[in-house]
Amino acid sequence: MQKNTFGYGSLAGGLLAAPLVALTGLATSLLGFGFPPFLLFNWSTRVLPGPLVTFGIDLMIDTLRFLRIDVANAAKSAEQAMAVLFFVLLAILAAGIVFAMFSRQQTKPRVTSGLIVGAIAALPFIAIDFSYSQITVSPLVEFSWLVLVFLAWGVLLSMTYRRLSTADRETMPVEHKPGAVERIDRRQFLITLGLASATITVVGTGLAAVISTGRRSRQITEQPISDQGPPLPNTNDPILPAPGTRPEYTPLEDHYKVFIELQPSVIDGDTWTLPITGFVDNPLSLTLNELRQSFNAREQYVTLSCISGRIATTLISTTRWTGVSLQEILTVAQPRPEARYLHIRSADGFYETVDLDLINTDERIMLCYDWDGKPIPVDHGFPLRIWIPDRYGMKQPKWITSIEVSDQYKPGYWVERGWDEVAQVQATSVIDTVAVDSTFEREDQTLLPIGGIAFSGARGISKVEVRVDAGEWHEAQLRSPLSKTTWVIWRYDWPFQSGEHTFEVRCFAGDGTPQIAAERSPRPSGATGIHSVTQKVPSREG
Ligand SMILES: Nc1nc2c(c(=O)[nH]1)N[C@H]1C(S)=C(S)[C@@H](COP(=O)(O)O)O[C@H]1N2
Ligand SMILES: [Mo]
């Protein structure tokens, strides 16, 4: 042990970290306390330099793509797993250092040393919890719990150290072959510790899983059972999507999700109010009911996309948004003449600035409370989020908690981290399907449907073109979109040839501007480039 205190410390640290994660996780699902691995991770993504965070996200997305895992669905789970892993690694490292420090002292560590170690370890978590996260329970109770588990961790660490080094001394062989007895004793102790740790971890994790599954199913059953919703405005359009095209209206549960923290913010809609303060003559504090009832409801089919998506990203979805025009709300709030910007803040610490001039020229900009005719799901910003046409998601806060009208500009969360200040959506077109199993005959030709989407924010799509093997561009047919602010479904029926082919698509915005063909990475202004798909087309039977 004397020779390898750091190694033994790391081992003990790892063994003790697992039950620490399990127990705090259990308290999180039972009582809603902050979960130390997530607290640390959320905090670090916020304070680390933007480029580093972007690098980390890119690395994760690349890994997921390399493993052929759907980024939109798996990114959060991957991040959460990473947070736990970081925490455990940190605990291992810390325990190694603590053991090395213990070994330098003249006397064996006592309980007080363990308590000091625990208290020091607890400190950063309390600080983070206090400054960043929204504490749902009484802070005193939550902090006491955190202190308690870390103190226990420290004391167990010091006890483990004593136990392992006692094996050294009691069997300290002066005159005969050293090592054998002490090693067996130490091994037995470590096995016991490992088993105890594994038991607590398994029981704790299992209970936490059962509790959160129960809670989730309750949440789902509490949702009002919805009908199919109104018929889509383009049901009679004769141009049908090519088989294999993504759904034109994204099922709510499939809508992509992006948020900065490891978990969505949970807000109580009954007690939530929206303060509108600052440079206004009539400061407001609106409840959800007031927003719903005292203003005119507007409805809009919206395609939302994330600036960090690459060409043909899955981080794009379409649903129906309901809300109130910000113009109407501001008519009541009465901005003063000096007012220039709205500073919007969210429950998760996200923030964005909206130019008042933009609001004044676009009545569609709205504060939204419904998606798909139902309150916005928790993951997507319940109870209120903003919609700004033609902008990437990064400009559009969810979980809005306050709006302050100001004469000062202030960069938003992702702008501060190096992303585009305006974040206007780049025109993009994607091939969803080369429907080799759906060939059909028309006028003596056998045609192969190719199809997908094209999107250009609020600028509309005037034309989509497809080419095969770098040949001529052929104009595709456009289905009328759900609205002027959604993607457009296109299809091109190709008089096909068998063999392996490369298919490419490009689009033109409403005013005829072609999509940017040059390949550019998402950062800082959104990805550009031509989507291409290479596929084998089997020869026709018969
Ligand atoms: N409060 C808050 N709002 C937010 C974000 C966030 O992390 N926190 N992410 C933004 C980004 S980058 C995107 S792409 C969209 C995603 O919205 P969705 O998860 O509902 O698809 O939310 C935006 N609004
Ligand atoms: Mo985003």
Side-chain angles (χ1 to χ4, degrees), residues 31 36 71 210 290 313 392 428 460 514:
L31 304 163
V71 174
V210 168
E290 282 165 344
T313 177
Y392 281 114
T428 188

Side-chain angles (χ1 to χ4, degrees), residues 28 35 38 42 76 80 259-265 348 399:
T28 301
F35 183 44
F38 286 8
N42 285 339
K76 250 331 143 189
Q80 293 179 345
F259 40 88
I260 52 173
E261 299 214 298
L262 286 163
Q263 288 163 309
S265 295
D348 58 347
W399 306 297

Side-chain angles (χ1 to χ4, degrees), residues 110-335:
R110 287 174 229 232
V111 175
T112 32
S113 324
L115 287 175
I116 292 170
V117 166
I120 292 174
L123 222 57
F125 292 92
I126 305 276
I128 292 170
D129 204 6
F130 188 71
S131 58
Y132 281 104
S133 57
Q134 343 134 239
I135 297 165
T136 43
V137 204
S138 135
L140 197 65
V141 177
E142 173 153 352
F143 293 167
S144 310
W145 159 251
L146 280 179
V147 171
L148 200 75
V149 287
F150 279 100
L151 289 182
W153 178 80
V155 169
L156 284 173
L157 212 56
S158 69
M159 283 165 61
T160 307
Y161 183 90
R162 278 185 86 94
R163 185 65 178 71
L164 290 173
S165 56
T166 306
D168 282 346
R169 196 183 318 128
E170 275 169 4
T171 54
M172 184 74 80
V174 187
E175 64 274 76
H176 64 271
K177 224 173 29 167
V181 184
E182 88 212 27
R183 238 182 278 130
I184 289 170
D185 181 57
R186 207 180 284 145
R187 188 181 308 151
Q188 250 158 16
F189 172 71
L190 284 172
I191 289 172
T192 315
L193 184 66
L195 284 177
S197 149
T199 312
I200 297 175
T201 307
V202 168
V203 171
T205 318
L207 273 178
V210 168
I211 290 163
S212 55
T213 319
R215 189 164 298 155
R216 209 168 307 131
S217 62
R218 221 175 314 134
Q219 268 174 4
I220 289 165
T221 47
E222 275 165 13
Q223 292 264 335
I225 297 152
S226 70
D227 57 351
Q228 288 299 299
L232 297 177
N234 60 356
T235 34
N236 296 323
D237 194 299
I239 295 163
L240 297 175
T245 307
R246 75 190 70 191
E248 186 166 26
Y249 188 79
T250 314
L252 212 48
E253 59 277 15
D254 295 341
H255 197 290
Y256 87 90
K257 294 171 193 168
V258 170
F259 40 88
I260 52 173
E261 299 214 298
L262 286 163
Q263 288 163 309
S265 295
V266 181
I267 292 176
D268 179 356
D270 295 333
T271 55
W272 173 92
T273 55
L274 175 69
I276 300 178
T277 57
F279 284 58
V280 285
D281 284 334
N282 184 25
L284 300 173
S285 176
L286 299 167
T287 66
L288 197 49
N289 265 335
E290 282 165 344
L291 275 165
R292 284 177 180 280
Q293 283 153 20
S294 315
F295 298 91
N296 295 306
R298 306 170 61 90
E299 225 178 63
Q300 181 80 22
Y301 287 91
V302 169
T303 295
L304 184 70
S305 65
C306 180
I307 195 165
S308 68
R310 303 173 192 196
I311 287 298
T313 177
T314 49
L315 300 178
I316 181 168
S317 305
T318 299
T319 194
R320 184 166 42 98
W321 301 45
T322 313
V324 181
S325 170
L326 253 173
Q327 282 188 359
E328 195 183 334
I329 293 175
L330 289 178
T331 314
V332 182
Q334 299 275 328

Side-chain angles (χ1 to χ4, degrees), residues 412-481:
Y413 185 93
W414 284 118
V415 174
E416 232 172 12
R417 285 159 180 76
W419 292 83
D420 196 298
E421 204 155 62
V422 179
Q424 188 182 40
V425 171
Q426 304 277 3
T428 188
S429 51
V430 180
I431 298 168
D432 283 349
T433 177
V434 178
V436 290
D437 295 329
S438 303
T439 54
F440 66 99
E441 308 280 335
R442 191 173 59 205
E443 292 163 7
D444 289 343
Q445 274 189 318
T446 311
L447 302 173
L448 171 57
I450 300 166
I453 55 121
F455 182 53
S456 178
R459 279 119 54 216
I461 295 290
S462 56
K463 189 162 71 168
V464 171
E465 291 179 335
V466 175
R467 71 174 181 182
V468 186
D469 301 327
E472 296 270 288
W473 287 102
H474 299 283
E475 191 165 348
Q477 293 175 289
L478 302 183
R479 184 173 158 81
S480 54

